[in-house]
Every structure is written in structure tokens, then in C-alpha cells.
Amino acid sequence: NLKVILLLLIIILSSCKDKTKEITQVVKEDGPPNIIFIYADDLGYGDLSAYGATEIATPNFDNLATNGIKFTNGYATSATCSPSRYALLTGTYPWRNKNAKILPGTAPLLIDTAQVTLPKILKTQGYHTGIVGKWHLGLGTGNVDWNSHISPGPNEVGFDYSYIMAATQDRVPTVYIQDGYVDNLDPNDPILVDYDKNFEGEPTGTENPELLKFKGDPQHSNAIVNGVSRIGFMKGGQSARWIDEDMADHFLAKAQAYVKSHKEEPFFLYYALQQPHVPRTPNPRFVGTSGMGPRGDVIMEADWCVGEFIKTLEQEGLLENTLIIVSSDNGPVLDDGYEDQAIEKLGNHKPTGELRGGKYSLFEAGTRVPFIAYWKGKIKPGVSDAIVSQVDLLSSMAQLVGSEVLTKDSENMLDLLLGKTNQGRENLILEATSRTAFRQGDWVLIPPYDGPKVLINKGVETGNSKEFQLYNLSEDPHQDQNLAQSNPEKLKELITNFEAIRGS
Ligand code: NG6
Ligand code: CA
């Protein structure tokens, strides 16, 4: 009997071993997998039902989270957009580039065209690369002429195809740009953009509030397009102007078309959703669906987009050979410049989950975001508490496609993303509006910073304090107990390690 049991054990064990072998060989046998990043804008750690939201249902995001790996310590590199996107594509911490701040719509390209980028690496391995959605990494070299070829931009840093909005939905120019050309532009009605002064005769939110669907704060009260006042002034380009309520459908259609037309070759698609960033303009199909006003409604809309997009991948037979990473560029904010009832209608929903802070904050909710890795049939569903950052995606994806490229800041987390290990990062630099903090294991160090403790208009705690702050996230996930005084040794250790990386 013992012999039989032993034999059985050996058979079981060796079949397990075969399974792991199978996973590691998958990439080689099936050819290079497609890679898709679905990247939301300002989606908070607590905004998805898979991450604990009870007042809103996000079945399509949840499908990826529950059938893939849901990371509970996954980070954007920064608590604002442009820096996070910079790190996502370059594998370099944004604080290394002094220009990596929230960019105006007229900012020059933030990424050096000579710099390593993920899409460039993928191209060298035979991939077709595309971006659809929000760019917000600058365009041109200063003084962009929106009526001719806009360059350099995504196509000069590694994307074969780009269909983007230049900056944010609340910034001009409010037009789509395809491969460097404004889509649908009538040459007889050229676009002019200025971030300092208005064009004569153009209405603004400040002067013509009667034209608005909802009011903006002073910064968001410049050019009015579709009844929404924006940051920055703009004139012309009427036929090219986007319709805010159609943006989600528009980008979705472009993303679907992209995967359909590139399914015969390995491709990388960066699908950068615009939701739930302001202005929140759900398509009428979604108005009222969340009961939370526009912010909830656009999360429902984004979830629907994810569902439709996954359906397309399924119909095209691509799901089994596509690694999908889902995340967000920074944490959530309720009032980000428009009167859209995000606070009034929030009810019991907690966009930050149990975390402290939010967008712009050095506290956890600024940078800790939903982070999901999904690959049908290849990644075993699970939950991981390992620390992983979006800055790691460059090296990890490079590894996946057989490239050896690594950047200093980007750690190879491929095995973690594929569920073959639960070993994540030992430490990570966090960033928010040009300030940095440090996570090491369960510990977080926030150095002293001047400035307000709370952004009054936005209701977000910045993390600023005259004192060092030290938190232990395993005991205190909401960062209420500053242990800097009571644990001077830990404090010293973290300061030393933090400074070593900051100075490197
Ligand atoms: C801020 C805007 C905010 C938003 C943010 C960019 C003001 C007062 N606030 O400057 O509304 O546009 O920039 O958000 O202008 S991000 O997600 O792209 O970083
Ligand atoms: Ca953002």
C-alpha cells in the first residue's frame, strides 16, 4: 500500500512540476503574446467592487481582477497624471526629470526621443505598438502649430499608431490627434491655442456662465467647448472638436479597431481611458446609472468600455494570447474643479477604500491604485499583497518578450505578474506633486514638507507636515499613528535607504 501511495505521490508531484514548466514555456510555444495596458485616469483604490466598493458595481473590471491577479499593493509612481505616465512608458522614476509635472496642453514632449521606452523595446522584438486615449506627456518642442504635423509625440517615442487627446479632458485643445494630425480638421478653420490670454470674441466660463452645463472653478473657466469651460483658451477647429459625451465610445471604437487590424502580429496597445477625470461627462446611456452623479456614472461607463473591449478580444480569439494589465494613473479626487456633485452624491462610497489621502497626496491613496494582471488560461487567479509599481512594467514586459533591457528604476516583476512568485519589491519611492516619500516593506516614511496639510478646495490631505512621519501599514493601513518619535531606529534606517536611492 505504501508503495502505491508513494507512486501516486510521485505522479501527482511530477504532474505539478510539468504544470509549472508548462507556464514558463507558454510564451515560447504560443509565440509572443499581445500586451494591453488599460489605464484609467484618477480611478481610486476603492472605486472598483473587486477592491471592496459596495455602492457601485464594476463587473467588467471585477472579471479581470477575480480571474487574474489582484494586487493590493500596486502603485502608480506618482499621485498625478503626467509623472505616472512618464514612468509607465520609460521605466524611470518621474522625480529624476524635473519637468515631470502636470503638463499644460501646450507643453513640449516630456520624454526625450532618445530615451528608452517600453513601446520602443517591444518594436525591436517585432511588435506593432499603439496608443488610444489620454496622452498628457506633451507634444512638439514648444509652440505647437496644431494645424500641421504635430511632432515629436507618441509616434516619435515608440508608437506606430496613436489616437490621442493631447492632455486632459479639461484642457484645450479639445480635439483628437491621429498620428500627429488633428482628426477631422477643416484647414479653413484653423485651431489656435493659448494658455495665457483669450482670443477676441471667444466666450469663457468666467464671462459667459449662462453657456455652461455646469460651473468650473476659476482655473477651469477659460474656453467654453460643448458647454464645458476648460483650462486654456482656444479658437477655431470647430469640425475637429470632440463631443465629451461620446469620448468613451469614440476611444473604445478606436481600441477595438486597433486590435482587429493587428491581430495577425504581436501587438502592444496602451488603452488610456479618460474616466473618471474631470469634466465627468457620461454618455446619456450612463447618466443616473450609479446614483452617485457624474463621477459614479463615468466609472460605470468605463467599466462598460472594459467589458466591450474584452468581448472584442474574445471574439477575435485573442484572449488566450494576451496579457492585460489594468491600473490607474493616480488616486481619486472628488472636487477637481467642476461643480458636478461628486461630494454631495457620494453616499457611502469610499473612492480611496480604507486608505488616507487621494490624488495629489503623499499618503497611500495618492499612489496606491487598482492593479490587475489578467491572462486567460495562463495566469492563475489570486490576490497578491506583494509591492509592485507601474515603473516595473517596462522591465517586466521586456523580459516577457525576450529583451534584456532593464532601467535603473524598473524592476523585473514578470514572475510576480504571472503569479509564479509572490516576491515583489523591497522598497519604492512614492511621489506627489514633486515631493517624494519612501515605502520599505510595511513601513512608509514621509519626510517633512512645507505647504498646506489639506487642499481645501479638493478636500485632500497632502501628507505635508513639519515633522518626519513614519507609518506601519500592516498595523495601521490608514496611516493614523506616526511612529517617527517612538521608533527612531526604524526612522533612521528608512531615511538612510531613502536618501541612498534619491541620490543615486
Ligand atoms: C490640475 C487641475 C485639475 C486636473 C489636474 C490634472 C486646476 C486647479 N486643477 O492642475 O483639474 O486637471 O491638473 O489631473 O487647474 S491629472 O490627472 O491629469 O494629473
Ligand atoms: Ca490622473
mmCIF file of all heavy atoms in Angstrom, residues 237-274:
data_model
loop_
_atom_site.group_PDB
_atom_site.id
_atom_site.type_symbol
_atom_site.label_atom_id
_atom_site.label_comp_id
_atom_site.label_asym_id
_atom_site.label_seq_id
_atom_site.Cartn_x
_atom_site.Cartn_y
_atom_site.Cartn_z
ATOM 1 N N GLY A 237 -11.183 75.358 -35.323
ATOM 2 C CA GLY A 237 -11.213 73.892 -35.306
ATOM 3 C C GLY A 237 -12.569 73.308 -34.956
ATOM 4 O O GLY A 237 -12.639 72.222 -34.380
ATOM 5 N N GLN A 238 -13.646 74.020 -35.359
ATOM 6 C CA GLN A 238 -14.988 73.566 -34.951
ATOM 7 C C GLN A 238 -15.269 72.114 -35.346
ATOM 8 O O GLN A 238 -15.766 71.342 -34.520
ATOM 9 C CB GLN A 238 -16.063 74.480 -35.571
ATOM 10 C CG GLN A 238 -16.122 75.889 -34.973
ATOM 11 C CD GLN A 238 -16.564 75.919 -33.511
ATOM 12 O OE1 GLN A 238 -17.159 74.973 -33.013
ATOM 13 N NE2 GLN A 238 -16.250 77.011 -32.814
ATOM 14 N N SER A 239 -14.940 71.741 -36.562
ATOM 15 C CA SER A 239 -15.308 70.390 -37.028
ATOM 16 C C SER A 239 -14.486 69.311 -36.309
ATOM 17 O O SER A 239 -14.857 68.138 -36.304
ATOM 18 C CB SER A 239 -15.078 70.279 -38.535
ATOM 19 O OG SER A 239 -13.705 70.515 -38.816
ATOM 20 N N ALA A 240 -13.373 69.711 -35.727
ATOM 21 C CA ALA A 240 -12.499 68.725 -35.078
ATOM 22 C C ALA A 240 -12.793 68.567 -33.587
ATOM 23 O O ALA A 240 -12.275 67.649 -32.948
ATOM 24 C CB ALA A 240 -11.037 69.141 -35.263
ATOM 25 N N ARG A 241 -13.609 69.450 -33.049
ATOM 26 C CA ARG A 241 -13.796 69.420 -31.594
ATOM 27 C C ARG A 241 -14.524 68.160 -31.153
ATOM 28 O O ARG A 241 -15.502 67.745 -31.769
ATOM 29 C CB ARG A 241 -14.577 70.654 -31.142
ATOM 30 C CG ARG A 241 -13.779 71.924 -31.404
ATOM 31 C CD ARG A 241 -14.526 73.147 -30.942
ATOM 32 N NE ARG A 241 -13.694 74.333 -31.176
ATOM 33 C CZ ARG A 241 -13.854 75.501 -30.566
ATOM 34 N NH1 ARG A 241 -14.839 75.642 -29.688
ATOM 35 N NH2 ARG A 241 -13.045 76.501 -30.825
ATOM 36 N N TRP A 242 -14.038 67.574 -30.079
ATOM 37 C CA TRP A 242 -14.695 66.350 -29.615
ATOM 38 C C TRP A 242 -16.014 66.665 -28.943
ATOM 39 O O TRP A 242 -16.271 67.792 -28.539
ATOM 40 C CB TRP A 242 -13.770 65.563 -28.688
ATOM 41 C CG TRP A 242 -13.450 66.195 -27.361
ATOM 42 C CD1 TRP A 242 -14.318 66.730 -26.430
ATOM 43 C CD2 TRP A 242 -12.143 66.315 -26.772
ATOM 44 N NE1 TRP A 242 -13.644 67.175 -25.328
ATOM 45 C CE2 TRP A 242 -12.316 66.934 -25.502
ATOM 46 C CE3 TRP A 242 -10.853 65.947 -27.179
ATOM 47 C CZ2 TRP A 242 -11.234 67.200 -24.643
ATOM 48 C CZ3 TRP A 242 -9.797 66.212 -26.318
ATOM 49 C CH2 TRP A 242 -9.992 66.837 -25.072
ATOM 50 N N ILE A 243 -16.854 65.639 -28.866
ATOM 51 C CA ILE A 243 -18.084 65.740 -28.088
ATOM 52 C C ILE A 243 -17.822 64.934 -26.825
ATOM 53 O O ILE A 243 -17.574 63.716 -26.885
ATOM 54 C CB ILE A 243 -19.274 65.185 -28.883
ATOM 55 C CG1 ILE A 243 -19.488 66.079 -30.106
ATOM 56 C CG2 ILE A 243 -20.534 65.107 -28.021
ATOM 57 C CD1 ILE A 243 -20.436 65.534 -31.122
ATOM 58 N N ASP A 244 -17.804 65.610 -25.700
ATOM 59 C CA ASP A 244 -17.371 64.956 -24.466
ATOM 60 C C ASP A 244 -18.145 63.674 -24.174
ATOM 61 O O ASP A 244 -17.569 62.668 -23.768
ATOM 62 C CB ASP A 244 -17.515 65.926 -23.289
ATOM 63 C CG ASP A 244 -16.598 67.117 -23.454
ATOM 64 O OD1 ASP A 244 -16.977 68.075 -24.160
ATOM 65 O OD2 ASP A 244 -15.488 67.075 -22.911
ATOM 66 N N GLU A 245 -19.449 63.731 -24.373
ATOM 67 C CA GLU A 245 -20.302 62.589 -24.030
ATOM 68 C C GLU A 245 -20.032 61.379 -24.930
ATOM 69 O O GLU A 245 -20.433 60.267 -24.610
ATOM 70 C CB GLU A 245 -21.790 62.979 -24.114
ATOM 71 C CG GLU A 245 -22.251 63.930 -23.013
ATOM 72 C CD GLU A 245 -21.837 65.385 -23.264
ATOM 73 O OE1 GLU A 245 -21.253 65.694 -24.328
ATOM 74 O OE2 GLU A 245 -22.091 66.221 -22.373
ATOM 75 N N ASP A 246 -19.391 61.602 -26.065
ATOM 76 C CA ASP A 246 -19.094 60.497 -26.984
ATOM 77 C C ASP A 246 -17.657 59.994 -26.859
ATOM 78 O O ASP A 246 -17.258 59.047 -27.551
ATOM 79 C CB ASP A 246 -19.305 60.941 -28.443
ATOM 80 C CG ASP A 246 -20.770 61.174 -28.748
ATOM 81 O OD1 ASP A 246 -21.622 60.730 -27.948
ATOM 82 O OD2 ASP A 246 -21.063 61.818 -29.778
ATOM 83 N N MET A 247 -16.873 60.639 -26.002
ATOM 84 C CA MET A 247 -15.448 60.313 -25.968
ATOM 85 C C MET A 247 -15.188 58.845 -25.638
ATOM 86 O O MET A 247 -14.352 58.185 -26.259
ATOM 87 C CB MET A 247 -14.735 61.221 -24.964
ATOM 88 C CG MET A 247 -13.238 61.006 -24.938
ATOM 89 S SD MET A 247 -12.425 62.120 -23.797
ATOM 90 C CE MET A 247 -12.377 63.614 -24.768
ATOM 91 N N ALA A 248 -15.913 58.319 -24.673
ATOM 92 C CA ALA A 248 -15.673 56.928 -24.257
ATOM 93 C C ALA A 248 -15.949 55.971 -25.421
ATOM 94 O O ALA A 248 -15.140 55.076 -25.711
ATOM 95 C CB ALA A 248 -16.546 56.576 -23.061
ATOM 96 N N ASP A 249 -17.067 56.189 -26.107
ATOM 97 C CA ASP A 249 -17.412 55.331 -27.250
ATOM 98 C C ASP A 249 -16.370 55.483 -28.363
ATOM 99 O O ASP A 249 -16.007 54.518 -29.028
ATOM 100 C CB ASP A 249 -18.783 55.732 -27.825
ATOM 101 C CG ASP A 249 -19.928 55.305 -26.908
ATOM 102 O OD1 ASP A 249 -19.687 54.534 -25.961
ATOM 103 O OD2 ASP A 249 -21.064 55.767 -27.134
ATOM 104 N N HIS A 250 -15.942 56.721 -28.543
ATOM 105 C CA HIS A 250 -15.000 57.034 -29.614
ATOM 106 C C HIS A 250 -13.660 56.308 -29.388
ATOM 107 O O HIS A 250 -13.156 55.629 -30.290
ATOM 108 C CB HIS A 250 -14.803 58.549 -29.639
ATOM 109 C CG HIS A 250 -14.172 59.063 -30.877
ATOM 110 N ND1 HIS A 250 -14.842 59.126 -32.079
ATOM 111 C CD2 HIS A 250 -12.928 59.529 -31.118
ATOM 112 C CE1 HIS A 250 -14.031 59.613 -33.000
ATOM 113 N NE2 HIS A 250 -12.857 59.861 -32.434
ATOM 114 N N PHE A 251 -13.116 56.446 -28.204
ATOM 115 C CA PHE A 251 -11.847 55.765 -27.915
ATOM 116 C C PHE A 251 -12.024 54.245 -27.942
ATOM 117 O O PHE A 251 -11.147 53.514 -28.432
ATOM 118 C CB PHE A 251 -11.284 56.203 -26.553
ATOM 119 C CG PHE A 251 -10.609 57.554 -26.568
ATOM 120 C CD1 PHE A 251 -10.718 58.409 -25.468
ATOM 121 C CD2 PHE A 251 -9.834 57.970 -27.637
ATOM 122 C CE1 PHE A 251 -10.083 59.648 -25.459
ATOM 123 C CE2 PHE A 251 -9.188 59.215 -27.642
ATOM 124 C CZ PHE A 251 -9.318 60.056 -26.539
ATOM 125 N N LEU A 252 -13.153 53.772 -27.414
ATOM 126 C CA LEU A 252 -13.398 52.322 -27.427
ATOM 127 C C LEU A 252 -13.374 51.792 -28.868
ATOM 128 O O LEU A 252 -12.725 50.782 -29.158
ATOM 129 C CB LEU A 252 -14.748 52.001 -26.772
ATOM 130 C CG LEU A 252 -15.224 50.552 -26.928
ATOM 131 C CD1 LEU A 252 -14.287 49.576 -26.217
ATOM 132 C CD2 LEU A 252 -16.658 50.391 -26.386
ATOM 133 N N ALA A 253 -14.066 52.498 -29.751
ATOM 134 C CA ALA A 253 -14.116 52.049 -31.151
ATOM 135 C C ALA A 253 -12.705 52.017 -31.756
ATOM 136 O O ALA A 253 -12.356 51.102 -32.503
ATOM 137 C CB ALA A 253 -15.023 52.970 -31.960
ATOM 138 N N LYS A 254 -11.891 53.017 -31.416
ATOM 139 C CA LYS A 254 -10.516 53.043 -31.946
ATOM 140 C C LYS A 254 -9.698 51.878 -31.371
ATOM 141 O O LYS A 254 -8.903 51.260 -32.080
ATOM 142 C CB LYS A 254 -9.823 54.367 -31.590
ATOM 143 C CG LYS A 254 -10.471 55.582 -32.203
ATOM 144 C CD LYS A 254 -10.303 55.640 -33.708
ATOM 145 C CE LYS A 254 -11.113 56.786 -34.294
ATOM 146 N NZ LYS A 254 -11.159 56.765 -35.760
ATOM 147 N N ALA A 255 -9.890 51.596 -30.082
ATOM 148 C CA ALA A 255 -9.155 50.494 -29.450
ATOM 149 C C ALA A 255 -9.579 49.158 -30.064
ATOM 150 O O ALA A 255 -8.737 48.295 -30.353
ATOM 151 C CB ALA A 255 -9.390 50.495 -27.941
ATOM 152 N N GLN A 256 -10.876 49.001 -30.297
ATOM 153 C CA GLN A 256 -11.371 47.756 -30.909
ATOM 154 C C GLN A 256 -10.830 47.603 -32.333
ATOM 155 O O GLN A 256 -10.390 46.528 -32.727
ATOM 156 C CB GLN A 256 -12.908 47.763 -30.923
ATOM 157 C CG GLN A 256 -13.502 47.582 -29.534
ATOM 158 C CD GLN A 256 -15.006 47.843 -29.503
ATOM 159 O OE1 GLN A 256 -15.483 48.800 -30.112
ATOM 160 N NE2 GLN A 256 -15.754 47.015 -28.784
ATOM 161 N N ALA A 257 -10.871 48.716 -33.060
ATOM 162 C CA ALA A 257 -10.381 48.658 -34.443
ATOM 163 C C ALA A 257 -8.896 48.305 -34.461
ATOM 164 O O ALA A 257 -8.433 47.540 -35.307
ATOM 165 C CB ALA A 257 -10.617 50.000 -35.133
ATOM 166 N N TYR A 258 -8.169 48.851 -33.492
ATOM 167 C CA TYR A 258 -6.723 48.587 -33.450
ATOM 168 C C TYR A 258 -6.444 47.094 -33.274
ATOM 169 O O TYR A 258 -5.651 46.506 -34.021
ATOM 170 C CB TYR A 258 -6.053 49.394 -32.330
ATOM 171 C CG TYR A 258 -4.572 49.113 -32.260
ATOM 172 C CD1 TYR A 258 -3.687 49.760 -33.101
ATOM 173 C CD2 TYR A 258 -4.063 48.139 -31.392
ATOM 174 C CE1 TYR A 258 -2.332 49.466 -33.088
ATOM 175 C CE2 TYR A 258 -2.722 47.829 -31.365
ATOM 176 C CZ TYR A 258 -1.852 48.492 -32.212
ATOM 177 O OH TYR A 258 -0.522 48.189 -32.213
ATOM 178 N N VAL A 259 -7.094 46.479 -32.300
ATOM 179 C CA VAL A 259 -6.780 45.059 -32.064
ATOM 180 C C VAL A 259 -7.251 44.198 -33.231
ATOM 181 O O VAL A 259 -6.604 43.213 -33.586
ATOM 182 C CB VAL A 259 -7.325 44.523 -30.712
ATOM 183 C CG1 VAL A 259 -6.729 45.299 -29.559
ATOM 184 C CG2 VAL A 259 -8.842 44.562 -30.640
ATOM 185 N N LYS A 260 -8.351 44.593 -33.852
ATOM 186 C CA LYS A 260 -8.831 43.810 -35.007
ATOM 187 C C LYS A 260 -7.835 43.881 -36.155
ATOM 188 O O LYS A 260 -7.565 42.896 -36.816
ATOM 189 C CB LYS A 260 -10.188 44.340 -35.478
ATOM 190 C CG LYS A 260 -11.328 43.878 -34.600
ATOM 191 C CD LYS A 260 -12.649 44.343 -35.198
ATOM 192 C CE LYS A 260 -13.786 44.098 -34.224
ATOM 193 N NZ LYS A 260 -15.033 44.714 -34.679
ATOM 194 N N SER A 261 -7.301 45.079 -36.379
ATOM 195 C CA SER A 261 -6.435 45.177 -37.557
ATOM 196 C C SER A 261 -5.008 44.709 -37.290
ATOM 197 O O SER A 261 -4.239 44.571 -38.231
ATOM 198 C CB SER A 261 -6.461 46.590 -38.153
ATOM 199 O OG SER A 261 -6.161 47.517 -37.161
ATOM 200 N N HIS A 262 -4.675 44.456 -36.023
ATOM 201 C CA HIS A 262 -3.299 43.989 -35.760
ATOM 202 C C HIS A 262 -3.248 42.604 -35.155
ATOM 203 O O HIS A 262 -2.228 42.208 -34.602
ATOM 204 C CB HIS A 262 -2.543 45.012 -34.915
ATOM 205 C CG HIS A 262 -2.353 46.290 -35.645
ATOM 206 N ND1 HIS A 262 -1.426 46.439 -36.641
ATOM 207 C CD2 HIS A 262 -3.040 47.448 -35.601
ATOM 208 C CE1 HIS A 262 -1.527 47.639 -37.166
ATOM 209 N NE2 HIS A 262 -2.505 48.278 -36.556
ATOM 210 N N LYS A 263 -4.329 41.869 -35.279
ATOM 211 C CA LYS A 263 -4.369 40.562 -34.609
ATOM 212 C C LYS A 263 -3.436 39.533 -35.231
ATOM 213 O O LYS A 263 -3.128 38.525 -34.612
ATOM 214 C CB LYS A 263 -5.807 40.038 -34.562
ATOM 215 C CG LYS A 263 -6.403 39.766 -35.913
ATOM 216 C CD LYS A 263 -7.826 39.241 -35.768
ATOM 217 C CE LYS A 263 -8.443 39.089 -37.138
ATOM 218 N NZ LYS A 263 -9.872 38.818 -37.075
ATOM 219 N N GLU A 264 -2.976 39.793 -36.444
ATOM 220 C CA GLU A 264 -2.088 38.812 -37.084
ATOM 221 C C GLU A 264 -0.631 38.967 -36.661
ATOM 222 O O GLU A 264 0.214 38.175 -37.019
ATOM 223 C CB GLU A 264 -2.173 38.928 -38.618
ATOM 224 C CG GLU A 264 -3.561 38.792 -39.206
ATOM 225 C CD GLU A 264 -4.253 37.458 -38.876
ATOM 226 O OE1 GLU A 264 -3.545 36.502 -38.486
ATOM 227 O OE2 GLU A 264 -5.500 37.405 -38.974
ATOM 228 N N GLU A 265 -0.341 40.025 -35.929
ATOM 229 C CA GLU A 265 1.051 40.215 -35.483
ATOM 230 C C GLU A 265 1.014 40.486 -33.990
ATOM 231 O O GLU A 265 -0.023 40.873 -33.459
ATOM 232 C CB GLU A 265 1.683 41.410 -36.223
ATOM 233 C CG GLU A 265 0.892 42.698 -36.023
ATOM 234 C CD GLU A 265 1.280 43.823 -36.985
ATOM 235 O OE1 GLU A 265 2.465 43.952 -37.297
ATOM 236 O OE2 GLU A 265 0.382 44.580 -37.390
ATOM 237 N N PRO A 266 2.122 40.282 -33.275
ATOM 238 C CA PRO A 266 2.102 40.645 -31.853
ATOM 239 C C PRO A 266 1.931 42.154 -31.713
ATOM 240 O O PRO A 266 2.570 42.914 -32.450
ATOM 241 C CB PRO A 266 3.470 40.182 -31.343
ATOM 242 C CG PRO A 266 4.317 39.986 -32.537
ATOM 243 C CD PRO A 266 3.421 39.720 -33.703
ATOM 244 N N PHE A 267 1.061 42.558 -30.818
ATOM 245 C CA PHE A 267 0.858 43.997 -30.663
ATOM 246 C C PHE A 267 0.856 44.399 -29.201
ATOM 247 O O PHE A 267 0.642 43.586 -28.297
ATOM 248 C CB PHE A 267 -0.452 44.439 -31.336
ATOM 249 C CG PHE A 267 -1.712 43.872 -30.710
ATOM 250 C CD1 PHE A 267 -2.236 44.407 -29.535
ATOM 251 C CD2 PHE A 267 -2.370 42.800 -31.306
ATOM 252 C CE1 PHE A 267 -3.391 43.881 -28.963
ATOM 253 C CE2 PHE A 267 -3.528 42.271 -30.737
ATOM 254 C CZ PHE A 267 -4.040 42.809 -29.557
ATOM 255 N N PHE A 268 1.127 45.683 -29.000
ATOM 256 C CA PHE A 268 1.021 46.315 -27.684
ATOM 257 C C PHE A 268 0.036 47.459 -27.831
ATOM 258 O O PHE A 268 0.216 48.328 -28.681
ATOM 259 C CB PHE A 268 2.387 46.854 -27.247
ATOM 260 C CG PHE A 268 2.328 47.806 -26.071
ATOM 261 C CD1 PHE A 268 1.785 47.420 -24.845
ATOM 262 C CD2 PHE A 268 2.835 49.106 -26.175
ATOM 263 C CE1 PHE A 268 1.733 48.300 -23.759
ATOM 264 C CE2 PHE A 268 2.802 49.991 -25.088
ATOM 265 C CZ PHE A 268 2.251 49.579 -23.885
ATOM 266 N N LEU A 269 -1.010 47.434 -27.025
ATOM 267 C CA LEU A 269 -1.941 48.561 -27.037
ATOM 268 C C LEU A 269 -2.011 49.187 -25.650
ATOM 269 O O LEU A 269 -2.267 48.504 -24.656
ATOM 270 C CB LEU A 269 -3.347 48.113 -27.472
ATOM 271 C CG LEU A 269 -4.412 49.239 -27.371
ATOM 272 C CD1 LEU A 269 -4.102 50.389 -28.320
ATOM 273 C CD2 LEU A 269 -5.813 48.688 -27.640
ATOM 274 N N TYR A 270 -1.780 50.469 -25.629
ATOM 275 C CA TYR A 270 -1.941 51.268 -24.400
ATOM 276 C C TYR A 270 -3.276 51.978 -24.555
ATOM 277 O O TYR A 270 -3.398 52.917 -25.337
ATOM 278 C CB TYR A 270 -0.750 52.218 -24.309
ATOM 279 C CG TYR A 270 -0.771 53.288 -23.249
ATOM 280 C CD1 TYR A 270 -1.479 53.153 -22.040
ATOM 281 C CD2 TYR A 270 -0.024 54.459 -23.427
ATOM 282 C CE1 TYR A 270 -1.455 54.159 -21.081
ATOM 283 C CE2 TYR A 270 0.003 55.460 -22.463
ATOM 284 C CZ TYR A 270 -0.717 55.310 -21.310
ATOM 285 O OH TYR A 270 -0.694 56.302 -20.359
ATOM 286 N N TYR A 271 -4.269 51.457 -23.848
ATOM 287 C CA TYR A 271 -5.642 51.982 -23.942
ATOM 288 C C TYR A 271 -5.865 52.844 -22.696
ATOM 289 O O TYR A 271 -6.087 52.329 -21.606
ATOM 290 C CB TYR A 271 -6.611 50.804 -24.030
ATOM 291 C CG TYR A 271 -8.097 51.132 -24.089
ATOM 292 C CD1 TYR A 271 -8.580 52.388 -24.474
ATOM 293 C CD2 TYR A 271 -9.031 50.146 -23.783
ATOM 294 C CE1 TYR A 271 -9.943 52.644 -24.531
ATOM 295 C CE2 TYR A 271 -10.406 50.395 -23.842
ATOM 296 C CZ TYR A 271 -10.851 51.646 -24.207
ATOM 297 O OH TYR A 271 -12.201 51.903 -24.249
ATOM 298 N N ALA A 272 -5.757 54.151 -22.882
ATOM 299 C CA ALA A 272 -5.762 55.090 -21.754
ATOM 300 C C ALA A 272 -7.128 55.756 -21.639
ATOM 301 O O ALA A 272 -7.407 56.756 -22.305
ATOM 302 C CB ALA A 272 -4.652 56.122 -21.951
ATOM 303 N N LEU A 273 -7.961 55.176 -20.796
ATOM 304 C CA LEU A 273 -9.318 55.695 -20.577
ATOM 305 C C LEU A 273 -9.266 57.098 -19.982
ATOM 306 O O LEU A 273 -8.355 57.410 -19.221
ATOM 307 C CB LEU A 273 -10.076 54.786 -19.611
ATOM 308 C CG LEU A 273 -10.206 53.304 -19.956
ATOM 309 C CD1 LEU A 273 -10.727 52.526 -18.751
ATOM 310 C CD2 LEU A 273 -11.140 53.129 -21.142
ATOM 311 N N GLN A 274 -10.270 57.909 -20.273
ATOM 312 C CA GLN A 274 -10.269 59.270 -19.717
ATOM 313 C C GLN A 274 -11.026 59.371 -18.399
ATOM 314 O O GLN A 274 -10.978 60.390 -17.728
ATOM 315 C CB GLN A 274 -10.830 60.258 -20.737
ATOM 316 C CG GLN A 274 -12.343 60.454 -20.712
ATOM 317 C CD GLN A 274 -13.106 59.358 -21.455
ATOM 318 O OE1 GLN A 274 -12.563 58.318 -21.797
ATOM 319 N NE2 GLN A 274 -14.380 59.608 -21.690
#
